Amino acid sequence: MNYSRHKAILKTTLVMALSLMAVFTSKAQPKSVGASFSISRIGIVYEHAFPESAAFLDVSVGAETAELFVGRKNYPGISASLTWNIIFKEWKSSEGNDIRLYAGPGASIGYSADFRDTDGVFFGLKGKIGGECVFARNAVISLSISPVIGSHLVSYPDHYTMKFYLNGIIYSLLPEIGLKYRF
């Protein structure tokens, strides 16, 4: 696969993720924007809250860094994901700080190498479970895990191969730390 094809796939994924974010920013609801970090992924996160239903939408675009950090690749992949999270427990303090536990389903798509495999398109169902602390000064710190159960499609010169996406399970147990600003 040549460099121009990689570049076109990366641009398409980024445009899709930005379009999704634009759709959900139109209403005046609490929102957060920030970054998430783990060994397997570094990303930009947008969170849109729906207070009347105790839920929030989480949209992220990121670099898939798992194979880069273990030394099997010289460049990261790219991904976009969307999860619908439901807050199932919340504690409020008198100082205005909140602690929330949440979980929810979603989807993920991207272009990356899989575990000890070549580059390809991956897609699948994503789950997310985590907790976050919302401070009175609008800072949000979160900790979550996000497994992806999906497929990895690889293009070879004479055929295509679809396999189970191993990185979605192997590296999902590594926690992801999020730092966001709420507005």
Side-chain angles (χ1 to χ4, degrees), residues 64 78-80 106-115 117-126 147-155 160-169:
E64 295 292 321
I78 189 167
S79 67
S108 188
I109 187 169
Y111 184 80
S112 179
D114 197 8
F115 186 74
D117 202 354
T118 188
D119 294 329
V121 175
F122 72 87
F123 52 92
L125 298 175
K126 180 176 186 170
V148 176
I149 298 174
S151 298
H152 189 245
L153 178 65
V154 179
S155 171
Y160 289 94
T161 302
M162 187 174 292
K163 300 177 184 176
F164 184 75
Y165 183 55
L166 293 173
N167 277 1
I169 300 296

Side-chain angles (χ1 to χ4, degrees), residues 117-140:
D117 202 354
T118 188
D119 294 329
V121 175
F122 72 87
F123 52 92
L125 298 175
K126 180 176 186 170
K128 190 167 196 170
I129 186 164
E132 68 181 10
C133 183
V134 180
F135 295 101
R137 302 222 166 170
N138 295 329
V140 180

Side-chain angles (χ1 to χ4, degrees), residues 5 19 22 50-51 68 71-72 83 97-98 114 116 150 165 170 178:
R5 188 169 176 192
S19 298
F50 299 97
L68 177 70
R72 289 191 278 263
T83 56
N97 302 324
D98 299 341
D114 197 8
R116 297 183 177 161
Y165 183 55
I170 293 171

Side-chain angles (χ1 to χ4, degrees), residues 62-91:
E64 295 292 321
T65 57
E67 296 298 302
L68 177 70
F69 283 145
V70 295
R72 289 191 278 263
K73 289 289 180 182
N74 295 328
Y75 51 88
I78 189 167
S79 67
S81 64
L82 174 90
T83 56
W84 178 264
N85 300 290
I86 298 168
I87 300 168
F88 60 86
K89 187 68 177 171
E90 184 172 17
W91 296 274

